[in-house]
Amino acid sequence: MAEKEEAGRPTWSRQVEFTLAGIGCAVGLGNIWRFPYLCYRSGGGAFLVPYLLMLVVLGIPLLHMELTLGQYLRRGPVMALTKACPLLKGVGMATVAISFIMCTYYNVIITWALYYMFSSFRSELLWENCNNTWNTANCTDRVTNSSSSSTASQQFFNYKVLERTSGVEETGTLRWELFLLLLLAWILVYLCIFKGVKSTGKVVYFTALFPYVILLALLINNVQLPGAIDGIRFFIIPEWDKLLNVEVWINAAAQIFNSIGIGFGSLMAMASYNSYNNNILKDTLAISITNSVTSIFAGFVIFSAFGYMSHLQNVPVSEIAVDGPGLVFVVYPQAFATMPVAPLWAFLFFFMLLCLGLDSQFAMVEVMVTSLLDSYSKPILKYLKRKEFLVLVVCGSAFLLGIPNVMQVGIYVFQLMDHYTAIVSIMFLAFFEVVAVCWLYGVKRLSSNLLEMTGKRPNIFFRVCWWVICPALITVILVFSVIQFKPARYEDYVYPPWAQGVGWLIALASIIWIPLAAVHTLWLLPGSFTERLKKSITPFSLDEDSESPYYKQKGAVMEVIPNIAVISSIVPLSDKPPIQTYELD
């Protein structure tokens, strides 16, 4: 039987802290803008049918799989995948890479939220009218689809907050206000997580729960506004003919996938700090169902505001909703401008965005920190002495890499990185993760792990989903994503070919680890190619092969020669994970 606790590895002070941290990780800014937009575009209430179906057959089973693997192996994604399937250990490295890339630009959204939050401390909101120095002659305070005019809130975002240039070719200068707010955002992240799960566990009591208080207050306020019922009716009344469109089903699956965070490694890393006998199914259901309920709840908040705007501006609701940051930083602020006590509601809304963004940011930084400690604990602690300094290095590096996003060209950099990271890379990662865990590590072995930890095997539903349904659905999503792939754009701006090339390099920065690590494993394992291939798809085979050049023995510690990972002990041939201990100086 595997060890229940591991020396040197911290655990959550209370199990509810992991549940709240998992909810905070899954529930993010995408619940506020992406889900309502997809509902609007995909037939309103009709979208809820494929969405909830995908939650049951894709989201819950895959989350259960990730949490089981992380809790049993007590490792972040890099070491967990190295043990589960050595041939595809690169999937773990890729999840760390994609999480780190995302955290460099995701914090920019928190930066914008801080800018709007501080701008709300005035009697009259800056985006209420067109009587400002940054407004142009074609400014209007009405919603419009005209290409020759833009709203006051659009101009505030584009010309005051971003001071954006005409395109990615024109870099402009550094936006010092945004630079300082980005620094503040990273300081907030560091102060919340520098003590590891002990400090994060306390912070999430507030950051995971308080947004629901604000959402409820916003909903109570919004439903009393004239026209709100029209927006809600648009949100919940289905257009059933939309269900015949394959894209609606693919969008539902992709939204479940991206919203819960399958393939990012965040929840697997946090589950590695669970107590060994924790009830994983309970956490799986709590995180996934809360995430979806929050999306639907946020839909009522957003669409009630859209109904109010359609009443004021006398335009259909369908002409108001827009995708991406524009929904949060252009359309919704415009709704605040005419509400009673507008500055208060604006402040509360952007403070809610801050809380939602911080939770997701905690998780992405924690993936990098956990994986580095799992793989390089001895050299890191030798030079940095304390984990707090490692967290500082990670946060500082991400801050520096995020600076291009707060230049005047920043919105174009942001959109390019988000398109090629969140859309292109994640589908490939998800496919290979499911192949590695569900097929090569095996449903039977995963079921045995659950039995050992909780005393219960997963039921037939989870086993069928892991073996057949999840791999099939993800394959369809991947193929559909490739067939329907569209180059990055921002509003009407089309990126030049060289910028699209940079985007593909950003995508490759995470994906490339999968083939590189596979070649590396096959190259260093002993024997014929067939023997190497067989051993490379055998779980824990790298731990067992102490004679291969892959490892050199050094006391009680087994170190990888090319420094890809560190395995701390050698165990006999079995399905049990080896136990690693950190040697603290």
Side-chain angles (χ1 to χ4, degrees):
M1 183 174 178
E3 292 291 334
K4 293 186 177 181
E5 301 296 340
E6 179 183 327
R9 192 174 190 85
T11 57
W12 300 94
S13 300
R14 298 174 62 190
Q15 200 53 48
V16 69
E17 293 178 0
F18 165 70
T19 307
L20 288 174
I23 290 172
C25 170
V27 176
L29 298 170
N31 298 73
I32 304 298
W33 76 48
R34 186 67 179 162
F35 175 83
Y37 169 72
L38 285 176
C39 255
Y40 140 78
R41 197 180 70 179
S42 305
F47 180 74
L48 296 178
V49 176
Y51 176 79
L52 293 175
L53 181 63
M54 292 300 175
L55 168 68
V56 173
V57 300
L58 186 68
I60 293 176
L62 288 182
L63 178 59
H64 196 28
M65 176 198 79
E66 284 201 353
L67 297 187
T68 299
L69 199 67
Q71 181 170 309
Y72 184 74
L73 298 179
R74 300 188 63 74
R75 293 291 174 272
V78 173
M79 294 304 294
L81 269 298
T82 299
K83 292 170 183 296
C85 181
L87 180 67
L88 293 178
K89 66 184 180 182
V91 174
M93 301 174 190
T95 62
V96 175
I98 197 171
S99 287
F100 183 72
I101 292 170
M102 284 192 72
C103 81
T104 63
Y105 71 81
Y106 192 88
N107 229 17
V108 177
I109 304 176
I110 299 177
T111 301
W112 296 337
L114 286 170
Y115 190 101
Y116 272 84
M117 192 176 78
F118 291 136
S119 298
S120 301
F121 289 112
R122 55 181 60 239
S123 58
E124 184 176 298
L125 296 175
L126 291 172
W127 54 87
E128 277 189 22
N129 55 60
C130 296
N131 303 322
N132 302 288
T133 55
W134 57 83
N135 292 129
T136 61
N138 65 345
C139 178
T140 174
D141 56 2
R142 297 177 60 85
V143 175
T144 176
N145 287 328
S146 171
S147 59
S148 61
S149 61
S150 55
T151 64
S153 60
Q154 282 177 313
Q155 295 204 353
F156 177 76
F157 184 60
N158 289 328
Y159 304 140
K160 175 60 176 173
V161 180
L162 303 178
E163 293 185 9
R164 76 178 197 188
T165 58
S166 59
V168 73
E169 303 91 343
E170 185 184 350
T171 57
T173 58
L174 185 66
R175 288 281 291 112
W176 284 102
E177 290 172 291
L178 295 181
F179 174 83
L180 294 175
L181 288 173
L182 179 65
L183 178 61
L184 174 61
W186 274 112
I187 291 173
L188 287 173
V189 171
Y190 177 77
L191 292 177
C192 292
I193 68 171
F194 77 105
K195 286 291 186 181
V197 294
K198 298 300 182 185
S199 60
T200 308
K202 302 299 181 288
V203 174
V204 293
Y205 280 110
F206 180 80
T207 56
L209 296 176
F210 189 65
Y212 292 99
V213 177
I214 300 178
L215 274 176
L216 180 60
L218 287 169
L219 181 61
I220 293 172
N221 175 73
N222 289 3
V223 295
Q224 300 178 62
L225 298 171
I229 191 65
D230 296 326
I232 293 174
R233 189 180 293 116
F234 182 90
F235 176 51
I236 63 175
I237 294 180
E239 295 178 34
W240 295 112
D241 58 310
K242 293 279 190 177
L243 291 180
L244 300 176
N245 187 346
V246 177
E247 187 177 359
V248 172
W249 292 82
I250 299 297
N251 284 338
Q255 174 63 14
I256 284 289
F257 201 88
N258 287 288
S259 181
I260 293 178
I262 306 297
F264 290 97
S266 306
L267 290 165
M268 189 185 295
M270 292 196 293
S272 71
Y273 298 107
N274 280 343
S275 59
Y276 182 75
N277 300 116
N278 173 56
N279 185 342
I280 306 169
L281 180 58
K282 179 191 68 177
D283 290 325
T284 301
L285 294 175
I287 293 169
S288 54
I289 293 175
T290 302
N291 175 67
S292 293
V293 169
T294 304
S295 292
I296 296 170
F297 187 39
F300 281 98
V301 175
I302 297 295
F303 276 91
S304 59
F306 285 166
Y308 170 61
M309 289 182 64
S310 72
H311 171 79
L312 288 181
Q313 312 293 353
N314 197 27
V315 295
V317 175
S318 59
E319 296 181 11
I320 294 178
V322 294
D323 191 13
L327 179 62
V328 174
F329 295 106
V330 174
V331 178
Y332 209 63
Q334 189 170 351
F336 287 130
T338 53
M339 288 182 186
V341 205
L344 173 63
W345 295 115
F347 171 80
L348 288 175
F349 179 77
F350 291 112
F351 184 69
M352 178 188 69
L353 292 187
L354 173 64
C355 292
L356 289 172
L358 284 176
D359 277 340
S360 300
Q361 192 73 0
F362 296 161
M364 286 186 280
V365 175
E366 188 60 49
V367 171
M368 175 62 80
V369 173
T370 298
S371 299
L372 286 173
L373 281 178
D374 281 349
S375 302
Y376 307 109
S377 60
K378 193 174 182 182
I380 284 174
L381 293 173
K382 178 181 178 181
Y383 291 106
L384 296 180
K385 305 301 181 184
R386 299 174 65 88
K387 179 184 176 180
E388 290 89 333
F389 295 131
L390 172 62
V391 178
L392 183 62
V393 169
V394 171
C395 290
S397 302
F399 165 68
L400 293 175
L401 290 171
I403 290 177
N405 292 283
V406 291
M407 298 183 68
Q408 289 178 310
V409 73
I411 188 64
Y412 301 103
V413 177
F414 173 89
Q415 192 74 6
L416 189 71
M417 294 185 71
D418 187 56
H419 184 82
Y420 284 95
T421 302
I423 297 177
V424 176
S425 303
I426 192 61
M427 302 324 273
F428 285 95
L429 262 64
F431 174 78
F432 285 108
E433 181 183 77
V434 169
V435 169
V437 179
C438 293
W439 285 353
L440 299 180
Y441 185 70
V443 173
K444 183 178 179 181
R445 183 177 280 108
L446 200 62
S447 300
S448 298
N449 297 161
L450 264 174
L451 177 65
E452 186 175 324
M453 289 187 292
T454 65
K456 294 181 181 179
R457 288 185 181 274
N459 58 37
I460 186 67
F461 168 75
F462 281 109
R463 297 200 297 273
V464 170
C465 285
W466 288 337
W467 181 244
V468 180
I469 298 176
C470 292
L473 278 175
I474 290 180
T475 302
V476 170
I477 295 171
L478 178 61
V479 171
F480 194 88
S481 300
V482 171
I483 292 173
Q484 287 216 323
F485 175 77
K486 297 176 182 177
R489 324 168 51 97
Y490 179 67
E491 294 181 349
D492 296 328
Y493 175 76
V494 179
Y495 286 82
W498 68 265
Q500 303 286 358
V502 172
W504 280 110
L505 288 177
I506 294 170
L508 284 175
S510 57
I511 299 173
I512 195 66
W513 292 102
I514 299 174
L516 285 181
V519 170
H520 177 263
T521 298
L522 293 171
W523 180 264
L524 290 176
L525 283 172
S528 66
F529 178 78
T530 304
E531 291 171 335
R532 295 182 185 194
L533 185 61
K534 184 177 179 181
K535 187 175 282 288
S536 71
I537 60 174
T538 303
F540 309 115
S541 60
L542 294 182
D543 302 342
E544 297 152 11
D545 191 13
S546 58
E547 300 302 320
S548 79
Y550 195 89
Y551 290 99
K552 62 178 181 179
Q553 188 164 359
K554 185 177 180 181
V557 180
M558 295 297 292
E559 298 182 348
V560 180
I561 291 177
N563 264 347
I564 296 295
V566 176
I567 311 295
S568 297
S569 60
I570 309 170
V571 295
L573 182 61
S574 74
D575 287 348
K576 307 299 186 292
I579 306 302
Q580 175 178 349
T581 58
Y582 295 150
E583 297 185 12
L584 301 176
D585 291 340

